[in-house]
Amino acid sequence: MASVEIAAEHERILREIESTDTNCIGPTLRSVYDGQEHGLFMVKLDGRIRNHDRDIEKMCNHHFQGFVDSITELLKVRGEAQKLKSQVTETNQRLQDDGKGLLTCMDELRLCRLQQRNIATSIDKFTHCLPVLEMYNKLQEQMTQKRYYPALRTLEQLEQTCLPRAGKYRFCSIMSDNIPRLRTLIRDTAMSQLKDFLESIRKHSEKIGETAMKQAQVQRSLDSAVSLQQRAAVGRRLRKEAGLGAGTDIDGQGSSPMSEQDSGVLDVEDEEDEDEVPGAQELVDFSPVYRCLHIYTVLGSREQFENYYRNQRRKQARLVLQPHSNMHESLEGYRRYFNQIVGFFVVEDHILHTTQGLVNRAYVEELWELALSKTIAALRTHSSYCTDPDLVLDLKNLIVLLADTLQGYGFPVSQLFDMMFEMREQYGEILLKKWSLTFRQVLDQDNFSPIPVATEEEYRQFTSQFPFQDPELDKLPFPKKLPFSEFVPQVYSQLKEFIYACLKYYEDLHLSSTEIDDVIRKSTNLLLTRTLSNCLQYAMKKKNVGLAELVQVIINTTQLEASCVYLEEFISNITNVPPDTANATKLYGTSTFKDARHAAEEEIYTNLNAKIDQFLQLADYDWTAAQGGGAPSDYLSDLIAFLCSTFSVFTHLPGKVAQTACMSACKHLSTSLLQLLLETDVRQVSMGALQQFNTDVKECERFARAGPVPGFQGDTLLLAFSDLRQLLDLFTQWDWSSYLADYGRPTCKYLRVNPHTALALLEKISRLMKDTSRKNNMFAQFRKNERDKQKLIDTVVKQLRNLISAHQT
């Protein structure tokens, strides 16, 4: 059974060897050797080989003739094949010979195709690299030309677009490494240019402000011209309708700007034609600011740049707003100060409107508030040193121009106008001081004499300066004299000049006509009531002022008082405010000149009395003279002559003034004579001295009776000497019984005799009689009549004392 299986297995292996590729019989043979019957298999294999050999031999024998035939045929074919081989060899040689050129061309074609491919590759690479190189070259050119903002844009495009497309080349890496350094260089260079710009702007703010203020002045002149043309057209229409005529004068002034060149400021040459004024922005090249702003914006540092710019400008603002210590010495100092301020804010306003967010409205308003406070404080401080009204007026006009200029740029300037309105008091005080000196000079130079007029032309000249009308004087032939002195027309002209000076200050302050009229009237009232009044008082109080000068002062003030109505009309005409406007301030000129005239009158009375006192000091009475009463004393004769000549000058004075002066002089003379008689130094008085004194009083009464000043009724002037007359009559007539009996009665003959006065004089007479009797009769008895008279005097003295005591109780 086992042998059958082995035989079957060997058969299977043989079939497998026969049917399997020789490359795959290894596993089959291994299975044979792995078994125990490989000898048997070898036998089996040999048998199978022999069988196949017999089959091959049978087949060869069957096909041998065909093989022989085939060999024969093959031998025949070999010759043909040799011939074909030689032909093929020849053909191949020819082909090889002919193909060498083709191969050369093919090689050349291959090389050309390779070059084409390389060229195409190179072109493609260059297509991506050339923009990088061109962009980098452009960047270098922009950096060389200092066009930093375009350079930054080019740098950004190079970094974000060109370099990524170009690939990873060495030069691209170098460029990429240089980009941060170039950015830093551009930023630092832009900042350096900005610093140069800020420094240049600080230096040239004055020039920029000057140009801006000149523009505002030109614009204001144009507006004024248009307004004047419109008013002129209205005036022509009104004149055509009403038949009236008017004239208008236009004053204008201008200044030419200066020009400088520096970083940020363009070169603008002065032109001879001043009609064209360059714009303030045209003088400044703001490109450094814009460039730096754009560069920092691109770099993402805009906020840093804004903070830096604002801080720097704040520092410059503080420097600009710091005035020079000697700014008040001239108008040029104020002008330079204002030009710098205007230049600063013109630049800021331009930056505000041409950049988005570099400066904002709140920042500019903050700077403006700071500038307003510091400017107003500086003006208040420095203007307080000013004593020249022309400088104050020019300063006011300059402040108005400053306000108009900045208002044109949208800055609020109401505080500047308020400050100018405050300065009006200082301006008024300076004007008052100036006019005080002017009035004093006029008074010092005046001769206090009526103005002689020789011709009609001179007369018209004076009447054109002063509104004087006198029909009686007009009828007189030339030459003639005006009643007033040179002081009157000069003071009137100075009053008008003062009003004009006040009006000039209030122009362009945006005040209504009513307000201007009110402040001018108040200022004029101050001039009249304080300045002119004090000057007149000063003139009248001078030691060398005589009665004639005082008389002329009264005449002058009377004429000026009459002219006050013309001053009212003058103010109304220049302010276009009717004088009858409700709540209109009235001029105090009438009361001022009245007060001055009254002061002059009092001064006349005082000086006249002083002259009388000077003459009385020359009185040399012999109070113990035994006889008297011949001729008036010399001093009194001189005094009467002086009074007559003095009162003759009073012809141009108002009648009441002359009468009052005359009455005052007579009263003072009477009182002084009485005091002279009752002086304590005069201890004894004789009847002879009383007779001489009585003669002098009669001379005074004769003077009073002669009427040195017209206008007295009857013997009114004699009443000034009535007290003295009744006292002398009482002593010369020795009518004591009547005096003592009728004392206190209205019908008393000696009603004006005071018992104290009578007692004092009587005691002096008694004292003299006692001394005389004692000297003449030292060792003898008094004579009877002397004793009786002494007793009578003692009795009267005793009765007078009793009378005085009775009235005192």
Side-chain angles (χ1 to χ4, degrees):
M1 190 67 181
S3 61
V4 175
E5 292 177 356
I6 294 170
E9 179 66 23
H10 288 173
E11 187 66 26
R12 184 189 65 77
I13 292 171
L14 289 175
R15 285 196 301 271
E16 184 176 352
I17 292 172
E18 289 175 347
S19 62
T20 304
D21 190 3
T22 56
N23 293 328
C24 298
I25 62 173
T28 303
L29 294 178
R30 181 176 293 277
S31 65
V32 173
Y33 284 98
D34 289 339
Q36 299 298 325
E37 298 297 335
H38 62 279
L40 183 60
F41 176 74
M42 289 300 296
V43 173
K44 197 84 167 162
L45 179 60
D46 290 336
R48 180 65 59 90
I49 293 171
R50 284 191 300 273
N51 288 334
H52 282 297
D53 288 337
R54 285 192 297 272
D55 290 338
I56 293 171
E57 185 178 355
K58 287 179 180 180
M59 186 176 291
C60 289
N61 290 329
H62 178 72
H63 292 290
F64 180 76
Q65 186 61 41
F67 175 72
V68 171
D69 294 338
S70 296
I71 292 298
T72 303
E73 288 294 333
L74 182 61
L75 290 174
K76 291 179 182 179
V77 171
R78 186 175 63 179
E80 294 295 331
Q82 290 295 330
K83 187 185 293 184
L84 179 61
K85 179 181 178 182
S86 63
Q87 290 178 354
V88 170
T89 302
E90 291 176 1
T91 302
N92 181 47
Q93 186 64 40
R94 288 197 302 269
L95 181 62
Q96 290 296 328
D97 293 339
D98 295 338
K100 286 181 180 180
L102 180 62
L103 289 175
T104 303
C105 292
M106 290 298 292
D107 289 338
E108 292 178 356
L109 179 61
R110 182 179 58 81
L111 292 175
C112 286
R113 293 291 176 84
L114 181 61
Q115 288 178 353
Q116 285 181 348
R117 187 168 59 250
N118 291 338
I119 289 172
T121 304
S122 299
I123 290 174
D124 181 63
K125 297 299 181 181
F126 276 124
T127 302
H128 292 88
C129 292
L130 279 177
V132 175
L133 297 174
E134 291 174 353
M135 197 69 68
Y136 194 80
N137 183 52
K138 181 181 178 181
L139 174 64
Q140 294 297 327
E141 291 179 355
Q142 289 171 341
M143 293 290 290
T144 303
Q145 296 171 1
K146 298 182 179 181
R147 300 171 57 214
Y148 296 107
Y149 177 67
L152 191 61
R153 286 296 187 186
T154 302
L155 191 63
E156 181 181 4
Q157 187 177 359
L158 179 66
E159 181 183 21
Q160 296 180 0
T161 305
C162 298
L163 285 177
R165 291 179 182 176
K168 297 182 179 179
Y169 295 101
R170 184 179 178 186
F171 74 91
C172 293
S173 300
I174 295 174
M175 290 181 183
S176 298
D177 295 339
N178 283 337
I179 285 176
R181 183 183 61 81
L182 291 174
R183 277 203 181 97
T184 303
L185 177 63
I186 291 173
R187 183 188 62 193
D188 295 343
T189 306
M191 180 57 68
S192 176
Q193 289 185 350
L194 177 68
K195 291 179 179 179
D196 293 340
F197 170 81
L198 292 175
E199 179 65 21
S200 176
I201 285 297
R202 186 185 68 81
K203 293 179 180 178
H204 294 86
S205 290
E206 181 179 348
K207 170 62 185 172
I208 299 168
E210 178 188 356
T211 304
M213 291 182 74
K214 185 175 181 182
Q215 275 186 315
Q217 187 175 14
V218 171
Q219 183 61 41
R220 190 170 66 174
S221 299
L222 292 175
D223 295 341
S224 300
V226 171
S227 178
L228 288 173
Q229 289 176 359
Q230 293 175 351
R231 289 202 298 267
V234 174
R236 285 193 297 269
R237 179 172 57 81
L238 293 176
R239 288 195 298 270
K240 185 175 181 181
E241 294 175 358
L244 300 177
T248 305
D249 294 332
I250 304 176
D251 295 332
Q253 58 181 1
S255 59
S256 59
M258 298 180 296
S259 299
E260 296 181 22
Q261 182 180 10
D262 202 344
S263 175
V265 178
L266 301 179
D267 184 14
V268 179
E269 297 182 355
D270 293 336
E271 300 180 359
E272 294 181 359
D273 184 7
E274 296 185 357
D275 294 335
E276 296 182 1
V277 182
Q281 290 81 4
E282 297 176 6
L283 298 177
V284 184
D285 178 16
F286 288 94
S287 58
V289 180
Y290 305 146
R291 185 183 306 119
C292 199
L293 174 62
H294 295 326
I295 288 172
Y296 271 76
T297 301
V298 172
L299 295 177
S301 303
R302 180 186 177 99
E303 184 177 357
Q304 175 187 354
F305 173 72
E306 290 177 359
N307 293 333
Y308 175 81
Y309 177 84
R310 294 182 184 183
N311 290 333
Q312 291 299 315
R313 291 297 280 168
R314 282 193 183 95
K315 293 179 182 178
Q316 290 186 356
R318 292 186 177 92
L319 292 176
V320 166
L321 296 173
Q322 186 67 31
H324 295 288
S325 58
N326 60 344
M327 183 176 72
H328 59 275
E329 294 179 357
S330 66
L331 186 66
E332 188 61 28
Y334 290 104
R335 180 177 286 112
R336 294 181 59 188
Y337 181 61
F338 292 163
N339 287 343
Q340 290 177 356
I341 294 174
V342 172
F344 178 89
F345 283 100
V346 166
V347 171
E348 289 307 293
D349 180 76
H350 186 75
I351 293 293
L352 174 66
H353 290 91
T354 56
T355 60
Q356 297 179 353
L358 177 57
V359 297
N360 53 30
R361 177 61 64 181
Y363 160 79
V364 176
E365 289 178 354
E366 175 191 352
L367 285 182
W368 177 238
E369 290 297 327
L370 173 67
L372 265 183
S373 61
K374 288 189 173 294
T375 302
I376 291 175
L379 288 176
R380 284 174 176 162
T381 300
H382 286 268
S383 63
S384 63
Y385 299 127
C386 184
T387 58
D388 183 8
D390 294 333
L391 180 57
V392 175
L393 186 61
D394 292 339
L395 174 59
K396 167 257 167 183
N397 293 330
L398 197 59
I399 297 175
V400 170
L401 182 58
L402 169 70
D404 290 345
T405 303
L406 292 173
Q407 192 173 26
Y409 286 93
F411 294 98
V413 294
S414 59
Q415 294 185 40
L416 288 176
F417 284 98
D418 293 341
M419 189 270 299
M420 285 187 285
F421 198 67
E422 293 175 5
M423 284 176 58
R424 78 189 191 281
E425 295 183 359
Q426 177 190 354
Y427 179 70
E429 289 297 327
I430 295 174
L431 285 182
L432 292 178
K433 291 180 181 178
K434 177 182 178 181
W435 258 261
S436 176
L437 296 176
T438 302
F439 287 148
R440 292 200 177 193
Q441 290 176 358
V442 170
L443 286 168
D444 291 339
Q445 296 172 2
D446 191 28
N447 57 6
F448 292 97
S449 300
I451 302 175
V453 179
T455 62
E456 180 73 21
E457 182 179 356
E458 292 182 7
Y459 183 76
R460 290 180 179 178
Q461 179 181 357
F462 283 108
T463 54
S464 65
Q465 297 177 1
F466 179 74
F468 174 72
Q469 296 178 355
D470 189 350
E472 297 298 329
L473 185 62
D474 292 342
K475 297 177 182 178
L476 297 177
F478 290 97
K480 50 188 174 184
K481 290 185 177 181
L482 299 176
F484 48 82
S485 66
E486 295 278 357
F487 166 76
V488 173
Q490 291 183 11
V491 166
Y492 187 79
S493 298
Q494 290 300 325
L495 289 174
K496 293 171 66 176
E497 290 296 328
F498 178 85
I499 294 170
Y500 273 127
C502 292
L503 179 64
K504 288 180 181 178
Y505 185 84
Y506 296 111
E507 290 176 346
D508 303 322
L509 290 188
H510 307 308
L511 299 176
S512 64
S513 299
T514 305
E515 291 175 322
I516 293 177
D517 181 82
D518 183 66
V519 293
I520 287 179
R521 289 176 181 270
K522 289 180 179 179
S523 300
T524 307
N525 281 334
L526 279 177
L527 179 70
L528 292 171
T529 58
R530 195 173 74 184
T531 305
L532 182 56
S533 177
N534 290 339
C535 290
L536 290 173
Q537 294 290 339
Y538 161 78
M540 289 183 290
K541 295 295 183 180
K542 288 194 300 185
K543 294 182 179 180
N544 58 347
V545 176
L547 292 173
E549 287 81 358
L550 292 172
V551 170
Q552 191 63 53
V553 168
I554 293 176
I555 297 172
N556 291 345
T557 52
T558 303
Q559 294 293 334
L560 289 173
E561 179 184 350
S563 69
C564 287
V565 63
Y566 297 100
L567 280 179
E568 294 265 7
E569 294 177 359
F570 175 73
I571 295 176
S572 299
N573 290 334
I574 64 174
T575 58
N576 295 321
V577 176
D580 55 351
T581 302
N583 300 324
T585 304
K586 300 300 180 183
L587 289 184
Y588 300 151
T590 302
S591 60
T592 299
F593 293 123
K594 280 184 178 178
D595 294 342
R597 186 169 64 253
H598 292 160
E601 293 172 4
E602 292 296 330
E603 199 66 27
I604 286 177
Y605 306 152
T606 302
N607 286 6
L608 197 56
N609 293 342
K611 285 290 184 181
I612 293 174
D613 292 339
Q614 291 177 5
F615 280 101
L616 289 175
Q617 289 177 359
L618 301 176
D620 187 17
Y621 285 103
D622 183 6
W623 296 111
T624 59
Q627 296 293 329
S633 301
D634 294 338
Y635 85 92
L636 189 66
S637 299
D638 295 339
L639 174 58
I640 297 299
F642 165 75
L643 293 176
C644 290
S645 63
T646 299
F647 291 134
S648 64
V649 182
F650 289 8
T651 53
H652 294 291
L653 285 177
K656 186 177 180 181
V657 176
Q659 293 170 13
T660 304
C662 186
M663 177 60 76
S664 173
C666 291
K667 285 184 177 180
H668 182 72
L669 177 59
S670 175
T671 304
S672 299
L673 288 174
L674 182 59
Q675 291 176 353
L676 187 64
L677 186 63
L678 298 178
E679 282 183 353
T680 55
D681 293 341
V682 180
R683 298 184 57 81
Q684 299 175 352
V685 176
S686 66
M687 293 305 295
L690 282 179
Q691 291 175 0
Q692 181 61 43
F693 197 80
N694 187 34
T695 302
D696 291 344
V697 173
K698 288 181 179 179
E699 183 67 17
C700 295
E701 291 173 335
R702 184 190 63 78
F703 165 76
R705 197 176 292 109
V709 174
F712 287 108
Q713 296 180 357
D715 294 335
T716 304
L717 195 57
L718 283 174
L719 294 176
F721 299 98
S722 59
D723 293 356
L724 195 57
R725 169 48 50 206
Q726 290 183 10
L727 178 63
L728 291 175
D729 287 346
L730 176 61
F731 277 86
T732 55
Q733 297 177 11
W734 208 254
D735 194 6
W736 292 104
S737 58
S738 299
Y739 175 76
L740 295 172
D742 298 337
Y743 180 78
R745 297 179 183 177
T747 58
C748 179
K749 181 179 179 181
Y750 306 102
L751 184 63
R752 295 180 176 273
V753 178
N754 191 302
H756 294 276
T757 304
L759 177 61
L761 184 57
L762 190 59
E763 286 178 344
K764 291 182 179 184
I765 295 174
S766 174
R767 192 177 297 115
L768 178 62
M769 291 184 65
K770 289 180 180 179
D771 289 346
T772 304
S773 299
R774 188 179 301 111
K775 290 178 182 179
N776 294 336
N777 303 288
M778 187 174 298
F779 304 104
Q781 294 291 329
F782 289 150
R783 286 176 294 187
K784 186 177 183 302
N785 57 345
E786 292 178 352
R787 282 199 311 272
D788 294 341
K789 191 171 184 179
Q790 185 63 47
K791 289 180 181 180
L792 178 59
I793 290 174
D794 292 340
T795 302
V796 173
V797 167
K798 184 177 180 181
Q799 291 176 346
L800 286 174
R801 287 175 178 169
N802 293 335
L803 182 63
I804 291 171
S805 299
H807 278 78
Q808 287 179 349
T809 57

